[in-house]
Amino acid sequence: MSQTLQALAEFTAARLIGDGSIEISKVASLALTGPGDLVFVESDRHLEEALNSQASAVIAGDFAAGSAGRKPLLISKRPRLAFATAAKLLYPRTIHPSGIHPSAVVDSSAKVAPTAGVGALAVIEANAVIGERSFIASGCHIGEAVVIGDDCEVYPRVVIYPGTTIGRRVVVHAGAVLGSDGFGFVRDETYGRYVKFPQVGRLVIGDYVEIGANCTIDRGALDETVIGPGTKFDNLVHIGHNSSIGANVVIAAQTGISGSCTIGDDCLLGGQVGLGDHAAIEAGAILGGQAGVLPNKTIRGKGVVYWGTPVKPVREYLKELATLTRLTRKAGK
């Protein structure tokens, strides 16, 4: 959806330098640009490459203002954010068709909003609620008494277990399983076998959450598993039962969160991070890739980066790694 550069400047609150009537049709990387493209740079290191590219305009910081006249510019304090905001205008949200596909199976007690859409071969069980303009894609299974808010997108073959509640504008990508039983067993020493602990709680997902493909989020055992508003999960993330994830948390792929963990608001977790049961990550902490947090451990420090297993502040971790390297070299001589 093409937009003038002037419209993009207003939408992103950026300062326009150059011809605002130029039409921008899409965003692009520096490696693949063409006429009508918009690119961004966050430092002067790549500015020359952007100015020499075929892109029609560049989003950059104040460092680029001196290059006025070479190519139209949008000047922003946060070029990457402005670029992402511009993309929202250039690529508006898909409007999914409303109505229920003839092959879908919808229980008579379910409430599907008139503006909602239900795809082929989807199943919606008793007393489920699907909000206005939400879309349930083909092959999804929506369990009994599930509540899905307005403007949600649930992509193919998602399974949502009974009793799960999902807020507004939530995106669930293909193959995710939400609200399944948690992994809880009690050993019967008499017979040497495991007895399943009750998994009868709920899963509550807040507004503006995005859940990647093939994620799994367990419901609470007796209470609730809670995912806070604005939180984003990459593909292949697992959240164990009774865990509480705060608002605006970002979790990268292949991360595993054990049961009864707590993650505060605004935390960042890299890929393949692992948390033992009852671990707590306080608000704003950052865990680097493959960091491991032991059971019952509390990690605190807004903006502090942690790394390694067991996890340590990154400076401490790198210092210990350097010491180990020196000792290894000495031992090899």
Side-chain angles (χ1 to χ4, degrees):
M1 185 175 179
S2 295
Q3 299 286 341
T4 65
L5 201 55
Q6 178 66 45
L8 290 173
E10 294 172 0
F11 191 70
T12 61
R15 178 162 58 97
L16 171 63
I17 300 178
D19 184 0
S21 66
I22 288 176
E23 289 283 328
I24 301 296
S25 58
K26 62 187 180 74
V27 296
S29 68
L30 282 176
L32 297 170
T33 61
D37 288 354
L38 178 68
V39 297
F40 80 101
V41 290
E42 294 186 281
S43 70
D44 56 8
R45 190 174 76 174
H46 298 293
L47 179 60
E48 196 65 24
E49 182 182 358
L51 295 173
N52 290 330
S53 72
Q54 297 184 54
S56 293
V58 178
I59 296 179
D62 288 326
F63 60 84
S67 301
R70 295 182 59 185
K71 193 183 287 290
L73 299 170
L74 294 180
I75 302 299
S76 171
K77 291 182 178 180
R78 301 180 67 184
R80 181 182 289 267
L81 177 60
F83 184 75
T85 304
K88 293 178 68 175
L89 193 60
L90 292 167
Y91 301 86
R93 182 173 179 266
T94 300
I95 304 300
H96 296 286
S98 60
I100 299 173
H101 192 277
S103 66
V105 178
V106 180
D107 189 274
S108 60
S109 65
K111 296 179 181 179
V112 179
T115 55
V118 179
L121 302 175
V123 174
I124 300 179
E125 294 188 356
N127 299 311
V129 177
I130 311 298
E132 298 287 351
R133 298 170 299 281
S134 286
F135 182 69
I136 310 300
S138 60
C140 290
H141 190 111
I142 311 302
E144 183 177 357
V146 166
V147 176
I148 297 177
D150 298 340
D151 300 297
C152 292
E153 296 173 276
V154 181
Y155 285 96
R157 299 193 179 279
V158 167
V159 176
I160 304 179
Y161 277 64
T164 297
T165 299
I166 296 176
R168 299 177 300 113
R169 291 190 175 271
V170 172
V171 177
V172 185
H173 289 282
V177 179
L178 308 181
S180 54
D181 286 1
F183 189 67
F185 297 88
V186 181
R187 185 168 175 81
D188 183 342
E189 299 293 352
T190 302
Y191 298 102
R193 62 189 181 190
Y194 287 91
V195 177
K196 188 167 187 172
F197 191 81
Q199 302 294 316
V200 295
R202 300 172 62 239
L203 168 61
V204 178
I205 297 175
D207 299 340
Y208 296 95
V209 170
E210 183 152 348
I211 297 169
N214 295 314
C215 287
T216 55
I217 306 177
D218 296 341
R219 60 181 171 175
L222 302 176
D223 301 310
E224 295 179 344
T225 299
V226 178
I227 310 300
T231 285
K232 314 296 182 186
F233 295 156
D234 196 357
N235 302 331
L236 297 168
V237 169
H238 173 70
I239 308 295
H241 61 221
N242 298 339
S243 289
S244 177
I245 312 298
N248 300 311
V249 173
V250 175
I251 301 181
Q254 298 184 349
T255 289
I257 309 299
S258 297
S260 301
C261 289
T262 302
I263 299 177
D265 297 346
D266 302 308
C267 288
L268 302 176
L269 278 65
Q272 296 186 333
V273 166
L275 270 62
D277 60 279
H278 295 85
I281 312 299
E282 295 191 354
I286 302 168
L287 272 60
Q290 296 189 329
V293 181
L294 298 179
N296 300 298
K297 178 74 173 178
T298 297
I299 302 299
R300 55 176 57 92
K302 184 176 182 180
V304 177
V305 179
Y306 291 84
W307 209 5
T309 301
V311 72
K312 299 180 180 68
V314 67
R315 290 185 179 179
E316 182 181 336
Y317 173 82
L318 293 175
K319 184 177 179 180
E320 291 181 2
L321 190 63
T323 301
L324 180 62
T325 300
R326 287 194 299 271
L327 292 173
T328 302
R329 288 174 179 171
K330 287 181 179 179
K333 289 181 179 179

